[in-house]
């Protein structure tokens, strides 16, 4: 049983990179701070296999990746595809990540569904089709429409994830209408549960009309009390699965890496030693 902490992406966390050399080797430096990272560039474009070869080579053996599924695979792009086109897309995506799989560094493929992906037959059929195309691989499912967790459907949702051997992605986010989900810390896969921290900026969550809405949405810093609540929840999840991954996505104000480090301290994890120059301050 283990709990691991990381953040989404490794490029935008400036506090982790204190000198020019570290900024040139961000992932290598990142892997001295955390054991897991979320790859989000794969959501916007299928990455070349060479990228994954490079990333696996410059991270230690125990390091792992949560790789976000391409937006066409989740319906976020609203692109219409035939079954043959969808199968071809999945084949291209899965082929690209083979270096991570072969290096035994794949924690999960994360399918983050759009806010309009609600409980209905077509959605359930899509989930079953995704599982057929990803058979044998660790797949994490993140819902963003509240219908999946209403009193009428919550138990059925969790049962479906368990039936399909999907990893439940638990979200900590603002409760701001149908396009947000409550935190439901329940494991549906004995191997892993994923928790993603999006912040609690309720006023910024639905600001899609603003040009900078992405920055506003994730502008939040968790306080110690909030982190302690999740420390307890993570410990309970750990009793139901072998591995719990906590990923902080609240980086609009540069808070994700700080909150991740604070969570590691609460969990009793060893933090990396400070740079040598800091050792001689006193």
């Amino acid at each position: 049983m283990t709990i691991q902490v990381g953040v989404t992406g490794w490029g935008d966390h400036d506090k982790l990179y204190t000198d020019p050399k570290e900024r040139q080797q961000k992932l290598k430096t990142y892997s001295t701070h955390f054991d897991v990272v979320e790859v989000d560039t794969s959501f916007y474009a299928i990455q070349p296999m060479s990228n994954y070869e490079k990333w696996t080579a410059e991270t230690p053996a125990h390091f792992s990746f949560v790789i976000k599924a391409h937006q066409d695979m989740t319906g976020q792009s609203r692109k219409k595809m035939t079954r043959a086109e969808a199968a071809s897309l999945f084949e291209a995506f899965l082929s690209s990540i083979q270096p991570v799989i072969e290096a035994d560094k794949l924690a999960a493929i994360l399918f983050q569904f759009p806010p309009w992906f609600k409980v209905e037959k077509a959605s359930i059929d899509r989930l079953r089709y995704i599982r057929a195309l990803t058979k044998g691989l660790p797949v994490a499912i993140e819902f963003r429409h509240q219908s999946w967790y209403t009193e009428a459907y919550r138990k059925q949702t969790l049962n479906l994830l368990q039936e399909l051997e999907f990893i439940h992605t638990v979200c900590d986010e603002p409760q701001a209408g149908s396009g947000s989900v409550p935190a439901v810390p329940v494991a549906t896969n004995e191997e892993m549960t994923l928790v993603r921290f999006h912040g609690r900026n309720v006023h910024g969550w639905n600001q899609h009309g603003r040009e900078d809405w992405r920055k506003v949405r994730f502008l939040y810093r968790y306080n110690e009390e909030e982190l302690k609540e999740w420390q307890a929840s993570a410990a309970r999840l750990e009793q139901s699965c072998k591995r719990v991954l906590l990923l902080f996505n609240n980086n609009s104000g540069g808070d994700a890496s700080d909150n991740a480090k604070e969570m590691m301290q609460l969990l009793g994890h060893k933090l990396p030693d400070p740079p040598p120059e800091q050792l001689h301050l006193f």
Side-chain angles (χ1 to χ4, degrees):
M1 305 292 183
T2 186
I3 301 174
Q4 293 177 295
V5 183
V7 299
T8 59
W10 59 83
D12 298 326
H13 308 280
D14 293 340
K15 295 176 184 178
L16 300 178
Y17 316 115
T18 57
D19 64 47
K21 184 177 180 181
E22 290 177 341
R23 286 190 287 274
Q24 291 173 2
Q25 301 178 324
K26 286 187 175 181
L27 179 56
K28 185 174 182 180
T29 301
Y30 175 96
S31 68
T32 67
H33 293 269
F34 303 109
D35 293 334
V36 62
V37 73
E38 179 183 308
V39 179
D40 51 9
T41 53
S42 52
F43 177 78
Y44 303 100
I46 294 179
Q47 300 298 300
M49 187 183 292
S50 58
N51 282 3
Y52 292 109
E53 291 172 342
K54 178 177 182 292
W55 298 337
T56 56
E58 62 188 23
T59 50
H62 65 271
F63 193 84
S64 60
F65 298 85
V66 173
I67 303 176
K68 209 168 182 181
H70 189 272
Q71 58 185 327
D72 289 349
M73 298 163 70
T74 65
Q76 178 74 42
S77 65
R78 298 184 186 267
K79 182 179 179 180
K80 301 294 184 183
M81 290 187 294
T82 65
R83 284 229 160 186
E85 289 171 334
S88 178
L89 172 66
F90 272 69
E91 182 179 2
F93 178 87
L94 296 177
S95 176
S96 74
I97 68 172
Q98 280 304 306
V100 182
I101 297 172
E102 292 170 5
D104 196 25
K105 291 187 176 184
L106 178 65
I109 304 168
L110 170 62
F111 282 76
Q112 184 189 52
F113 288 98
W116 56 87
F117 187 79
K118 60 185 178 180
V119 172
E120 57 186 358
K121 185 179 184 302
S123 299
I124 294 169
D125 289 345
R126 187 178 192 127
L127 289 170
R128 294 188 181 280
Y129 186 57
I130 287 170
R131 180 33 98 195
L133 294 175
T134 59
K135 189 174 182 180
L137 292 172
V139 170
I141 299 295
E142 178 176 343
F143 296 118
R144 295 162 73 196
H145 193 281
Q146 277 189 355
S147 60
W148 296 95
Y149 296 105
T150 59
E151 187 175 348
Y153 290 113
R154 180 180 299 195
K155 185 175 180 180
Q156 295 175 67
T157 294
L158 297 172
N159 286 343
L160 178 64
L161 295 180
Q162 186 172 22
E163 174 199 336
L164 298 176
E165 298 183 346
F166 281 140
I167 296 162
H168 186 207
T169 301
V170 184
C171 294
D172 185 286
E173 63 189 35
Q175 300 308 289
S178 63
S180 60
V181 296
V184 181
V186 176
T188 60
N189 183 299
E190 65 181 12
E191 294 297 323
M192 185 185 300
T193 302
L194 178 61
V195 182
R196 297 182 81 228
F197 295 86
H198 297 305
R200 300 180 182 181
N201 184 359
V202 66
H203 299 294
W205 192 252
N206 293 319
Q207 299 295 323
H208 296 286
R210 292 180 51 152
E211 186 175 340
D212 63 345
W213 71 271
R214 290 184 186 277
K215 287 187 176 182
V216 173
R217 188 174 219 198
F218 303 112
L219 184 60
Y220 190 81
R221 187 181 185 93
Y222 288 90
N223 62 40
E224 185 177 3
E225 182 179 350
E226 291 165 341
L227 293 176
K228 283 183 175 179
E229 291 172 3
W230 272 108
Q231 175 193 8
S233 293
R236 287 191 292 270
L237 280 169
E238 195 182 14
Q239 303 307 308
S240 304
C241 58
K242 297 176 183 177
R243 191 175 175 195
V244 181
L245 303 186
L246 309 179
L247 293 176
F248 286 83
N249 189 40
N250 57 318
N251 202 50
S252 293
D255 296 310
S257 62
D258 284 346
N259 276 159
K261 292 286 187 72
E262 289 160 4
M263 178 62 82
M264 289 174 68
Q265 287 183 306
L266 290 173
L267 293 167
H269 293 185
K270 184 181 184 300
L271 296 178
D273 293 330
E277 63 269 18
Q278 294 185 23
L279 297 174
H280 305 292
L281 291 176
F282 300 99

